[in-house]
Amino acid sequence: MYKDEFMLEALELAKQAYALGEVPVGAVIVKDNKIIARSFNKRETNKNALLHAETDAVYKACEALNSWRLCGCDLYVTLEPCAMCAGAIVNARISNVYFGAYDKTAGCCGSVVNLFEIKGNYRPKYFGGLLEDDCSLLLSEFFKNKRIKEITVLN
Amino acid sequence: MYKDEFMLEALELAKQAYALGEVPVGAVIVKDNKIIARSFNKRETNKNALLHAETDAVYKACEALNSWRLCGCDLYVTLEPCAMCAGAIVNARISNVYFGAYDKTAGCCGSVVNLFEIKGNYRPKYFGGLLEDDCSLLLSEFFKNKRIKEITVLN
């Protein structure tokens, strides 16, 4: 069952990404009402394309449970997962996905394509737009500040 | 430019996966005519859903180049990438993808969906069916033997 407290924790993690100059996305994985993995986007910091919040959280959750199957686990993430992350969620058999902001350019849970509705493949339940205003605001502030910095550098 | 020798190396890696009881998929990433990352599927061995051949190879290539951008790199893999792996390839900006066998149930480079043709997203060049007979044979042998073992256990 969805709980705001877990999305708020994902938002706190997204703010840590923001502080590092990363696109602010945070994620937690919950099992039996407890957080078993936390992460935020660290692609730039770690110079690695694999290190989105969701993939890193799935990796850590598999380590925590010593299993590639995360059945009974829920993932909370502040932004609609991209193809890589949606695919990782499917591969790990996560039960429920709760995401905040929609991503109209790269979101793969309905916005661009829907990787959670492929016939014959594992299909998690998913719910978008949770704490959407907070999640979207953090992202739009980040991109606004990034543009201001870029314009300052150009001038 | 595609070279058989790199697909043959990916096939050798797939055989290492087979020997461990893993679905036999191998991958290499090539830059300037040299292999900079090698991997094979180790999902069962490492009990981690992230450890497909391609994602692990992308991770290692990012480490090798100290960059999340793998522009100018080619990925060779014995099986058509799934959603997670195709997404990782897009996120890492890999230039060319060469795959062997088609995956009619989960392949995301045209078989089920095509994540390499999404408008507005990065689109790598991709070529399927390379050394297809060898790549397919290894996979079909693996699944045939798996079924024989399962039947033996049931009896």
Side-chain angles (χ1 to χ4, degrees):
Chain A
M1 203 184 67
Y2 170 78
K3 287 192 179 175
D4 265 351
E5 66 180 272
F6 297 128
M7 191 59 93
L8 287 168
E9 177 69 19
L11 254 171
E12 284 307 309
L13 289 156
K15 287 174 192 168
Q16 290 185 44
Y18 192 128
L20 290 170
E22 301 275 0
V23 176
V25 182
V28 299
I29 295 179
V30 175
K31 188 176 168 74
D32 299 333
N33 216 27
K34 274 184 206 157
I35 294 176
I36 61 161
R38 293 173 161 79
S39 190
F40 55 81
N41 174 37
K42 27 179 108 74
R43 183 182 71 165
E44 301 291 343
T45 309
N46 289 36
K47 300 175 198 275
N48 202 306
L50 260 287
L51 291 174
H52 279 193
E54 305 96 305
T55 38
D56 195 39
V58 167
Y59 189 92
K60 286 175 177 170
C62 290
E63 284 195 327
L65 299 183
N66 198 31
S67 170
W68 65 260
R69 288 181 188 86
L70 302 181
C71 318
C73 292
D74 300 341
L75 183 136
Y76 288 70
V77 59
T78 56
L79 180 66
E80 183 180 357
C82 73
M84 174 177 79
C85 294
I89 287 162
V90 168
N91 290 353
R93 314 285 193 267
I94 286 193
S95 297
N96 298 291
V97 178
Y98 304 109
F99 66 86
Y102 288 87
D103 183 348
K104 295 291 170 204
T105 57
C108 285
C109 314
S111 288
V112 174
V113 292
N114 196 333
L115 296 172
F116 291 163
E117 299 280 5
I118 294 180
K119 222 177 149 179
N121 282 216
Y122 174 77
R123 286 181 271 180
K125 290 184 185 157
Y126 61 101
F127 310 87
L130 299 151
L131 297 190
E132 187 178 1
D133 289 349
D134 296 320
C135 294
S136 296
L137 185 65
L138 193 66
L139 284 156
S140 56
E141 266 180 18
F142 174 81
F143 287 110
K144 199 175 96 184
N145 284 336
K146 200 166 175 266
R147 277 195 298 274
I148 291 169
K149 275 184 199 162
E150 281 167 1
I151 290 164
T152 313
V153 169
L154 284 171
N155 291 338
Chain B
M1 202 185 65
Y2 171 78
K3 287 192 180 175
D4 265 350
E5 66 180 273
F6 297 128
M7 190 59 93
L8 288 168
E9 177 70 18
L11 254 171
E12 284 306 310
L13 288 155
K15 287 174 192 169
Q16 290 184 44
Y18 193 128
L20 289 170
E22 301 275 1
V23 176
V25 183
V28 299
I29 294 178
V30 174
K31 187 175 168 76
D32 299 333
N33 217 28
K34 273 185 209 158
I35 294 175
I36 61 162
R38 293 172 161 80
S39 190
F40 56 81
N41 174 37
K42 28 179 110 72
R43 183 182 72 165
E44 302 290 343
T45 309
N46 288 36
K47 300 174 196 278
N48 203 305
L50 259 288
L51 291 174
H52 279 194
E54 304 95 306
T55 37
D56 194 39
V58 166
Y59 188 91
K60 286 175 176 170
C62 291
E63 284 195 328
L65 298 183
N66 198 31
S67 171
W68 65 261
R69 287 182 189 86
L70 302 181
C71 317
C73 290
D74 299 341
L75 182 135
Y76 288 71
V77 59
T78 56
L79 180 65
E80 183 181 355
C82 73
M84 174 178 78
C85 294
I89 287 163
V90 168
N91 290 354
R93 314 286 192 267
I94 286 193
S95 297
N96 298 290
V97 179
Y98 304 109
F99 66 87
Y102 288 88
D103 184 349
K104 295 291 170 202
T105 57
C108 285
C109 313
S111 287
V112 175
V113 292
N114 196 334
L115 295 172
F116 291 163
E117 298 281 5
I118 293 179
K119 221 176 149 179
N121 282 216
Y122 174 77
R123 286 180 271 181
K125 289 184 186 157
Y126 60 102
F127 310 87
L130 299 151
L131 298 191
E132 187 178 3
D133 290 349
D134 296 320
C135 295
S136 296
L137 184 65
L138 192 66
L139 284 155
S140 56
E141 265 181 16
F142 174 81
F143 287 111
K144 200 174 96 183
N145 284 336
K146 199 168 176 266
R147 276 194 299 275
I148 290 168
K149 275 185 199 162
E150 280 167 3
I151 290 164
T152 313
V153 168
L154 284 171
N155 290 337

